[in-house]
Amino acid sequence: MIKGVLRFIIAVIFILSGFVKAVDLVGFSFKMEEYFSPAVFNMPFFEKFALLFSVIVVVLELFLGFMLLIKLRLKFTLSMLIALCVFFGFLTFYSAYFNVVTDCGCFGDAIKFTPWQSFFKDVVLLIGLIILFVLYRKEFARKDEYSSTTKTPTAKYKYFLVGAFGLVMVYIMAQGIMHEPLIDFRDYKIGTDIKAEKDKISKNPSEYKTFYSLKNQKTGEVLKVNQDDYIKETKYWADGSPWKIEEGKNESVIVKEGYKSEIVKFKIEDPTGLEVTDEIIKAPKAVLVFSYHPKELSQELLQKVEAKVNAQKGAVIYGVSTDPNTFKTIKNAMMDGTAIKTIARSNPFVLILQNGKIVDKQPAKDYIK
């Protein structure tokens, strides 16, 4: 009874974890790019394969979780899940300890975990899997559907279930890669009122406090001092003080949790630095064309998109990217690249607002059809 309940819980966790990433594989690939970036593992060569690695990870989570659920090839399944947990545990511990990736993307945009929460989640799952391995070890030797390649009627039925499950998941993943996710867990889903969200953020903002990393040049002692104490204590900054701020090691710590929304990053500026966000969210209609990789844009596709966008009479129109010279016939605007990736799942991508509310969004290739 106990092992059956434990097996069910762990299987469902892996299936849910894989599913929320499967519906938005492009979004998960952006998270993989973070891990490969110079700031984390410094493997920029692998960034171009981020989507492929994302597919592999999600497929393993989904199929292994489903095989555990239906008790198919238990020894193999449990062994692979333990290895997967060790791998995830390493990534989440590295992220948490070095504070380099603030959200591992374990449950996509559906559920946000801090790095330490993700690490402890992986530890708990690993312990649970090891317990299951021990509890089921006597069944591994049986020549039946649990561990053998012998196809009993029950085993054949289970393989059929795996195949049907796989077809459904492939469709869901393909939809997310080629178009938009079937289920949108982001704050930028259709129907979101960006203007209203910004009002909520301004009324209840999060508050942060900076902690300086100070090193005593004489003794080598290192202290973490918050910004208020640093200002009050002249010994830390007066002339001749042995205490020096260690560059790159200061931390911004949240001291009051305000209204949480990715919309806080919706800030658009023209090439001169003038913010145009209010103009966009207050306009009766605004059409925005986003690009998170301007250098990789298809010029032919971009030309078609700009032609269709320019036909929208009376609309506020901007092309938003990280390069002020990306768009040719529509006004260029600038936005943080990570924020653009939160909105856009293709390059380029079209977002349509009416009085600040998202009424439509789609990949440019779908928009021009």
Side-chain angles (χ1 to χ4, degrees):
M1 177 64 179
I2 294 177
K3 65 181 180 182
V5 172
L6 182 60
R7 175 176 55 79
F8 177 82
I9 292 172
I10 293 177
V12 169
I13 289 174
F14 274 100
I15 292 171
L16 287 178
S17 174
F19 177 79
V20 295
K21 292 196 284 285
V23 296
D24 188 11
L25 270 171
V26 176
F28 183 50
S29 73
F30 292 154
K31 186 59 60 179
M32 295 292 283
E33 286 180 8
E34 274 192 65
Y35 280 106
F36 293 136
S37 68
V40 186
F41 289 116
N42 194 22
M43 298 178 177
F45 171 78
F46 288 111
E47 289 183 24
K48 65 180 76 173
F49 301 109
L51 183 58
L52 174 61
F53 287 126
S54 300
V55 171
I56 293 171
V57 169
V58 169
V59 166
L60 285 173
E61 276 192 299
L62 285 170
F63 281 86
L64 291 172
F66 191 72
M67 288 170 68
L68 180 62
L69 183 67
I70 63 175
K71 292 178 70 175
L72 180 63
R73 298 183 64 80
L74 272 179
K75 184 177 182 179
F76 167 80
T77 301
L78 287 169
S79 299
M80 289 294 293
L81 284 173
I82 288 172
L84 200 61
C85 251
V86 170
F87 171 71
F88 283 145
F90 166 74
L91 288 183
T92 53
F93 175 77
Y94 189 93
S95 300
Y97 187 79
F98 293 101
N99 195 32
V100 287
V101 179
T102 56
D103 173 24
C104 74
C106 302
F107 284 88
D109 288 298
I111 304 174
K112 298 289 187 180
F113 281 144
T114 66
W116 281 118
Q117 287 173 336
S118 299
F119 171 68
F120 290 124
K121 179 263 297 177
D122 290 331
V123 171
V124 171
L125 281 175
L126 180 59
I127 293 171
L129 286 166
I130 292 173
I131 292 172
L132 279 180
F133 196 93
V134 173
L135 293 176
Y136 278 105
R137 69 188 185 283
K138 293 181 180 179
E139 299 185 37
F140 295 158
R142 295 181 187 176
K143 296 297 182 181
D144 57 14
E145 68 267 23
Y146 299 134
S147 58
S148 173
T149 57
T150 304
K151 301 297 188 297
T152 65
T154 304
K156 289 179 181 178
Y157 175 69
K158 290 182 177 181
Y159 279 107
F160 171 79
L161 285 177
V162 171
F165 176 77
L167 289 175
V168 173
M169 290 300 107
V170 167
Y171 172 75
I172 290 172
M173 290 188 285
Q175 179 70 23
I177 292 174
M178 295 187 292
H179 305 287
E180 270 284 278
L182 284 173
I183 304 173
D184 196 345
F185 295 109
R186 289 166 290 170
D187 291 337
Y188 289 96
K189 60 177 67 70
I190 291 177
T192 297
D193 190 330
I194 294 179
K195 185 163 58 175
E197 288 291 294
K198 279 195 164 289
D199 287 341
K200 291 177 184 177
I201 294 167
S202 62
K203 290 177 182 176
N204 185 20
S206 295
E207 294 178 8
Y208 295 84
K209 185 169 287 188
T210 299
F211 280 76
Y212 298 114
S213 179
L214 304 177
K215 186 173 184 178
N216 191 304
Q217 303 298 302
K218 295 180 179 178
T219 65
E221 182 184 0
V222 176
L223 292 177
K224 285 285 185 181
V225 179
N226 73 60
Q227 61 192 51
D228 297 330
D229 291 339
Y230 178 79
I231 293 172
K232 291 176 184 176
E233 298 288 341
T234 57
K235 66 178 182 180
Y236 293 133
W237 50 266
D239 288 340
S241 171
W243 295 100
K244 302 296 179 184
I245 295 176
E246 292 188 290
E247 295 297 329
K249 294 187 177 182
N250 300 329
E251 295 181 8
S252 182
V253 179
I254 190 166
V255 293
K256 176 184 170 292
E257 190 77 72
Y259 182 74
K260 295 183 69 174
S261 172
E262 287 293 325
I263 305 299
V264 72
K265 300 174 185 176
F266 190 86
K267 181 181 179 182
I268 300 175
E269 300 175 341
D270 70 11
T272 67
L274 178 67
E275 190 168 351
V276 296
T277 309
D278 282 347
E279 176 193 357
I280 291 169
I281 63 178
K282 291 179 180 178
K285 183 176 182 180
V287 182
L288 306 176
V289 183
F290 288 93
S291 173
Y292 51 77
H293 284 319
K295 294 180 180 178
E296 298 177 11
L297 275 174
S298 163
Q299 293 304 308
E300 181 182 356
L301 176 59
L302 186 60
Q303 186 177 7
K304 291 178 180 178
V305 174
E306 290 191 20
K308 184 167 182 177
V309 166
N310 282 324
Q312 305 297 311
K313 302 300 181 183
V316 170
I317 299 170
Y318 280 101
V320 185
S321 74
T322 56
D323 185 333
N325 301 304
T326 301
F327 302 92
K328 311 304 178 187
T329 62
I330 60 178
K331 289 187 288 187
N332 279 274
M334 307 285 288
M335 192 177 190
D336 175 72
T338 302
I340 292 176
K341 287 180 177 180
T342 305
I343 300 169
R345 289 299 191 249
S346 64
N347 184 46
F349 187 85
V350 179
L351 184 77
I352 300 176
L353 306 175
Q354 287 183 357
N355 296 308
K357 179 180 284 189
I358 300 174
V359 295
D360 193 17
K361 60 174 187 173
Q362 52 188 308
K365 59 182 174 55
D366 292 338
Y367 176 74
I368 62 174
K369 288 181 180 178

